[in-house]
Amino acid sequence: MPAAALKPKPLPTQSTAKRPVLLDLPYEPVLKRPLPAGRPRAWYVTHNRRLKAMRLAIALLDSGVYVPNQASDEAIRSAAEQIGVHPPSDTTCHMVRALMRYSR
């Protein structure tokens, strides 16, 4: 018997399902740990900005925005409102588009 016949059939995805697959609501975040002490303030600002940009990029991907030119500032800010984070700055919006660009 071929090995391919033994593999279970994968679950349908958004693109292959007969009807839209409902995505779960935003997941429950992992338990937060304190950041390491002794770093310059700019490090903490950048670190938190990167985390926020990653959360927003994931939310946009989940909502069907796959390319950076589809992710306008308005789209990113509406995604932020949906997942319950403060509206991002222009710099964070730029970082979200950069993450989407370089992950391809």
Side-chain angles (χ1 to χ4, degrees):
M1 180 178 284
L6 298 176
K7 290 184 180 177
K9 192 170 185 177
L11 296 173
T13 61
Q14 188 75 30
S15 61
T16 61
K18 302 289 184 225
R19 59 186 189 286
V21 176
L22 296 176
L23 297 174
D24 292 335
L25 292 177
Y27 61 93
E28 191 154 329
V30 296
L31 186 63
K32 292 185 179 182
R33 297 181 307 184
L35 293 174
R39 305 269 172 111
R41 178 172 169 72
W43 184 89
Y44 297 104
V45 171
T46 305
H47 176 76
N48 288 328
R49 188 183 305 271
R50 285 180 184 149
L51 290 177
K52 185 176 193 176
M54 284 191 292
R55 285 188 201 104
L56 290 169
I58 291 167
L60 286 169
L61 290 170
D62 286 345
S63 69
V65 176
Y66 299 112
V67 281
N69 60 4
Q70 291 178 333
S72 64
D73 286 352
E74 294 80 24
I76 295 171
R77 289 188 175 112
S78 69
E81 186 178 329
Q82 285 179 340
I83 64 171
V85 298
H86 289 284
S89 65
D90 292 340
T91 305
T92 305
C93 291
H94 184 270
M95 192 178 286
V96 169
R97 284 188 288 274
L99 280 171
M100 294 175 78
R101 185 174 300 118
Y102 295 119
S103 66
R104 303 189 105 217

